Amino acid sequence: MRCLAARVNYKTLIIICALFTLVTVLLWNRCSSDRAGPFPRSLAGPERRGAASESDPARQQSEEASPQEQQKAPPVAGGFNKALGLKYEEIDCLINDEHTIKGRREGSEVFLPFSWVEKYFEVYGKIAQYDGYDRFEFSHSYSKVYTQRAPYHPDGVFMSFEGYNVEVRDRVKCISGVEGVPLSTQWGPQGYFYPIQIAQYGLSHYSKNLTEKPPHIEVYETAEEKDRAGRSTDWVVPKGCSLSTVSDKAKSTSVKQFMAPESTEGISLQLGNTRDFIISFDLKFITNGSVSVVLETTEKNQLFTVHYVSNTQLIAFKDRDIYYGIGPRTTWSTLTRDLVTDLRKGVGLSNTKAVKQTKIMPKRVVRLVVKGRGFLDNVTISATSHMAAFFAASNWLVRNQDERGGWPIMVTRKLGEGFKSLDPGWYSAMAQGQAISTLVRAYLLTKDPTFLSSALRATAPYKLPAEQRGVKAIFMNRHDWYEEYPTSPSSFVLNGFMYSLIGLYDLKETAGEKLGKEAQLLYERGMESLKAMLPLYDTGSGTIYDLRHFMLGTAPNLARWDYHTTHINQLQLLSTIDESPIFKEFVKRWKSYLRGGRAKHN
């Protein structure tokens, strides 16, 4: 009997222990669940969602203060959060009592599709990898502000233009073989010379030259005695052609003289460069001729040939041959070409405003081929040739400045509904300003008075109103303004005005008190207007491109984020040359808008 009682007590004890363990586990799980928070720390996979959070601000601040914890949490897979016991449920979301979209509900949280959030709020986001996990990266804006390096100087880097690549823009048809500067298709597919684009081309390469390391340069031909032995076998001269080394009085050096009839395959110089793609050579034709460069490309290793021909044709493309007219070249001149740009502009040639996108790239510069009769010298291939591009722009500006001191823009421009069209031949204050900034730098480098004289003449359109083919407008009969687009009625574009002021500053600082007096007066009047009118361009959450809402009574023309950051970059520059606190104040406030900041409401 005692054995039976003992056995019963033993079984009872086991049952009691088991029940106690079960209760303990259940209580522990419940407590853990209560501490876990109402939503998962990482959302599922590629479905981007914006959350309409009802959680308290303190929780949000805490999570923002320790992002590393969130980044390391693994993503939740599927539609069920096992840790929290919450399911994703589809829910109808009524938007402004107008239409319904499908969202997801997870406990007390509601998630809207980010594809909808992105369009509705004009925000940006993407899924990216971090520490081996997916995370969603959200941004209120897409454009960045550059850091002002130091006080601005007329001989220094121009704003952030070292990051500009004008020639690769899809609205640049090509780099002219005759002029060496870009042709724009921004307002017409035929291509035209746009002074703003040309000045930016020069300023960008000038700035790159100051910020980049000296380029690697490979010399292939100089026709000098010391180079001849090492390079003599690089030339291939077919039957019926001739190549010789002669002395040239104009250059005071030896050069290569060639004769290769058009009917032959031409005289070729083997290059074989796989590293760099900027080719340069001195050239003088006696007859019509061409210099061609054969490229091995990434397009199944196919060979493409870029022909530089002694005519005025802009650009042509047929099969795997690209043609650029370079003019007669009957006197010595240096031709410098970016083979990457020339190849891609040729392959992407179209009859529309935009160059077709292409992935083709050169892999190797195979050889150079000459035809016709002429002379050749100093054949090199380099990584860059920024100063050649800069002086191509500077010299174009000198050659193409008209008797009124301006650079006429030879296309029709319609700024918007309510503005009269600008007929071909109009001037732009932005073009005048950026051209001045380019010419001043050319003068400071060379001390050639031609550049300074051209810059001084460029102030003339600043003094004339639009109806007299100038660029001057007056706001509220009080404030002088220099118009990027001298429209009727006036448009008061902000970024173009500030570029025009920077040009005047460059000129007054460079020309000196006597020669620069007029530029200084125009600059001071413009700066007074800018300080007075700057608040008109602040929306409380961004900036305005122009003042058409005031002049036409229309809705405001809000600046895109890239224009907004241009406004900030310009004010940063001006704050280094003018101590007025207004510039720093606006820079600080406008920077905050990039991160979602807003002005206070009433």
Side-chain angles (χ1 to χ4, degrees), residues 110 195 242 251 305 317 354 405 436 446 478 502 528 554 573-574 593:
V110 174
S242 66
K251 289 174 64 69
T305 304
F317 176 54
I436 290 172
T446 65
R478 184 174 180 180
I502 295 169
E528 289 175 6
T554 62
L573 183 154
L574 292 174
Y593 297 161

Side-chain angles (χ1 to χ4, degrees), residues 498-510:
M498 287 195 278
Y499 277 129
S500 77
L501 294 178
I502 295 169
L504 290 172
Y505 175 82
D506 288 343
L507 183 56
K508 81 177 185 68
E509 291 293 300
T510 303

